[in-house]
Amino acid sequence: MPYVEPGMSVGLFGGSFNPPHRGHELVAEIALRRLGLDQLWWMVTPGNPLKSHNELASLDERVALSRRMAPGPKVKVTAFEAASNLHYTAQTLAYVKARNPGINFVWIMGADNLKQFHKWQDWRGIAQTFPIAVIDRPGSTLAYLSSKMAKTFSNARIDEDDAARLPFLKAPAWTFIHGPRSSLSSSAIRSERATNKTTTS
């Protein structure tokens, strides 16, 4: 895990990043700015348990691409989950919390994940471990109104104008942050590459 000092505010931004793209970069930039973070950990996971791994690039390749994409020195690209045999977000957050006392963590997620968040292992536990910042993504602006997570924790939502307070709040606490959006998606990029490969072969 990256080096931190007590009192820091740190965003945790996890994903398979297969591949990373401008949309991920925007989420990181918005989270850093709106939450006033000292660091953002760009956590490249072994793979999403809810998705097929047939098209999953190697961890080393995804880490290298993420490092090229990461916007600035406050973003720390790491793959500690694989080394620590962690496969679920709930496990990762418990692991991070136990080893980093005195750090103000926030879980960062794109709004496109809200729709299936209730299918994640121990999703309620995730929401009760660290505050959550949900960053707007194309086609997902209204997801927080209908998702099971948003309804379950509706009383814990704070206004996005108060987003800078989020790292210092006790979980459950969350906010939805609007901002610039990119229509890029990893699945669309993979599909386009596969099409081009078929066309040229």
Side-chain angles (χ1 to χ4, degrees):
M1 283 182 279
Y3 174 76
V4 287
E5 295 181 355
M8 279 187 169
S9 296
V10 178
L12 303 174
F13 181 35
S16 54
F17 300 109
N18 185 43
H21 53 71
R22 176 58 179 159
H24 297 132
E25 186 181 9
L26 272 174
V27 168
E29 289 173 345
I30 292 167
L32 280 167
R33 183 177 70 253
R34 297 290 298 277
L35 299 171
L37 301 174
D38 297 301
Q39 287 185 14
L40 181 140
W41 294 2
W42 182 303
M43 306 187 305
V44 185
T45 68
N48 187 332
L50 297 178
K51 295 181 180 178
S52 168
H53 290 190
N54 292 338
E55 299 180 333
L56 190 64
S58 73
L59 184 63
D60 287 345
E61 180 181 346
R62 290 180 286 124
V63 167
L65 290 171
S66 293
R67 284 184 174 144
R68 277 184 239 160
M69 180 70 66
K74 288 186 176 182
V75 177
K76 313 295 182 182
V77 176
T78 175
F80 71 85
E81 288 172 288
S84 304
N85 199 30
L86 300 168
H87 298 284
Y88 296 96
T89 299
Q91 295 175 331
T92 297
L93 299 193
Y95 184 88
V96 168
K97 186 174 184 177
R99 285 158 179 77
N100 296 278
I103 306 300
N104 304 304
F105 287 107
V106 178
W107 175 249
I108 311 295
M109 61 187 286
D112 49 332
N113 284 315
L114 268 182
K115 192 173 182 180
Q116 290 201 342
F117 186 67
H118 64 281
K119 295 181 180 180
W120 294 19
Q121 186 185 75
D122 193 18
W123 64 277
R124 287 183 175 86
I126 294 172
Q128 292 167 339
T129 301
F130 294 134
I132 298 175
V134 181
I135 311 297
D136 200 4
R137 291 278 288 140
S140 304
T141 303
L142 300 178
Y144 68 91
L145 293 175
S146 58
S147 71
K148 190 169 182 178
M149 178 273 191
K151 290 179 178 178
T152 302
F153 293 100
S154 60
N155 292 337
R157 184 185 173 205
I158 68 168
D159 192 278
E160 70 173 294
D161 289 342
D162 296 321
R165 293 176 47 230
L166 194 63
F168 307 100
L169 298 179
K170 183 179 179 180
W174 69 283
T175 193
F176 189 100
I177 299 177
H178 297 81
R181 297 174 296 172
S182 168
S183 60
L184 291 172
S185 74
S186 295
S187 57
I189 292 172
R190 292 195 304 273
S191 178
E192 183 179 355
R193 287 177 179 174
T195 301
N196 291 340
K197 187 175 181 180
T198 302
T199 304
T200 56
S201 61

